[in-house]
Amino acid sequence: MGQSEILIMESETKPTFSKSTGLPRKRFYRARAHSNPLSDSHFPIPISPAHVDFSLHFPKFVGANNEEVSKKVEFADIGCGFGGLLISLATLFPDTLMIGMELRDKVTEYVKERILALRKTSSGGQYENVSVVRTNSMKYIPNYFEKGQLSKMFFLFPDPHFKEKNHRRRVISVDLLDEYAYVLRAGGIIYTITDVEELGEWMRSCLEKHPMFESLTQDELDSDPVVELLCSATEEGQKVARNGGQTFRAVFRRIAYVS
């Protein structure tokens, strides 16, 4: 009996899974659109990147207790939602490890179940390079990644936090960019997109003000296969497209430090 048949049989006893595809159904994992990133949450927090057991996420690439590591995580999707971008990137960059970081527990559980299901139903070891963790990335990014470890970070359709008093909750700020610059290697890329014009201007302004980032040229954007996924691969982006809405994008490169 094939893996796909086993998964579909399992799904018949799990109402949260589709009988036809074996994948989890979103309606059983719905949660509030956003969470307050400044509130305390109850989940394990590693004290350093060395204390993150990535063998639990990428058993094909990392040995038990990180004893044998053939690859390290290079892409991080911050606030990954239902994982649409990660799933697309997993096959576009099959040799790159990537992880989604999501604060909402039900949404994180959905992405985890989705990845496990795809691993079982796919051939050739697909999706073994992608995983998800529940955490508050605004607080704990340095707890997960070493200096200069990442080559790409994604901030797609983040919570606008419209009220001025809540702007400190925004996931892109000049102060937080210090931390993102720390975990990004020189030449690493930050991708941001939103359908809220004021937030788009805010994120671009923060990146322009920060001395460690420079904007990509139009030619570089046109040649980057990831850029077109910023809308098409995510649930939010697809909704904006269906409604004929606008999006506001800012893509910046982490530059080398010059003393």
Side-chain angles (χ1 to χ4, degrees), residues 77-79 85 154-159 191-194 229-231 234 236:
D77 186 0
I78 310 303
L85 177 69
F154 301 90
F155 301 83
L156 310 189
F157 301 96
D159 190 338
Y191 299 82
T192 76
I193 192 170
T194 180
L229 294 177
L230 301 183
C231 266
T234 64
E236 297 93 335

Side-chain angles (χ1 to χ4, degrees), residues 74-78 101 141 145 150-156 179-181 183-184 188-192:
E74 290 188 41
F75 295 1
D77 186 0
I78 310 303
M101 312 186 85
I141 279 282
F145 306 118
L150 300 179
S151 62
K152 294 185 187 297
M153 296 183 75
F154 301 90
F155 301 83
L156 310 189
E179 295 196 2
Y180 305 153
V183 297
L184 272 171
I189 307 294
I190 275 187
Y191 299 82
T192 76

Side-chain angles (χ1 to χ4, degrees), residues 215-232:
S215 179
L216 266 65
T217 66
Q218 189 59 51
D219 286 344
E220 289 172 325
L221 292 172
D222 292 341
S223 63
D224 188 340
V226 173
V227 171
E228 64 182 66
L229 294 177
L230 301 183
C231 266
S232 63

